[in-house]
Amino acid sequence: MKLFVTILRWIARFLGIFLFLFFIWFAIQIGSPDLNLMSEQEIKLFSANVIMLMGLIVVWKFEFIGSLLLIWGYIFFAIANYSFWNGPVFPTFFFLGLLHLLCWALSTFRNLNSHKISFLIFLK
């Protein structure tokens, strides 16, 4: 089971690296946006993208917090865009968040005794 979780975690990390580089490449090509010229919806979508990209970075150190950033960022993006399925690229953030959350849960609750539950398990 430990090998399965490790393989699953590295698949999620590998996909996250490519997704991060894909968005950074677009950011370099297009340049930084001018927030004064953006509409309110565009600012919300930009903020959701920043949250999801931060989640891809945070997930390397704090898997639970990073996965929540990915999931919440995508849900915020979907609400701001009025659609849950936004093409093939953006749902990948949600999928990666669920995958990291699954890896965190399998690795944390496998080693957890019933009398040692604390808030520190969220920082593993």
Side-chain angles (χ1 to χ4, degrees), residues 39-110:
S39 68
E40 184 179 333
Q41 183 181 11
E42 289 173 336
I43 292 173
K44 288 178 185 176
L45 294 173
F46 179 73
S47 301
N49 280 326
V50 169
I51 291 169
M52 291 185 288
L53 289 174
M54 283 178 18
L56 287 175
I57 295 170
V58 171
V59 80
W60 281 81
K61 180 69 176 170
F62 304 109
E63 196 166 29
F64 179 73
I65 296 170
S67 65
L68 289 183
L69 283 173
L70 286 168
I71 293 169
W72 289 341
Y74 180 73
I75 290 173
F76 180 61
F77 182 85
I79 290 171
N81 206 23
Y82 307 114
S83 172
F84 189 75
W85 188 260
N86 299 305
V89 177
F90 289 106
T92 309
F93 285 108
F94 186 71
F95 172 71
L96 287 176
L98 291 178
L99 203 57
H100 279 290
L101 189 62
L102 176 69
C103 291
W104 171 82
L106 289 175
S107 64
T108 301
F109 294 121
R110 181 177 47 89

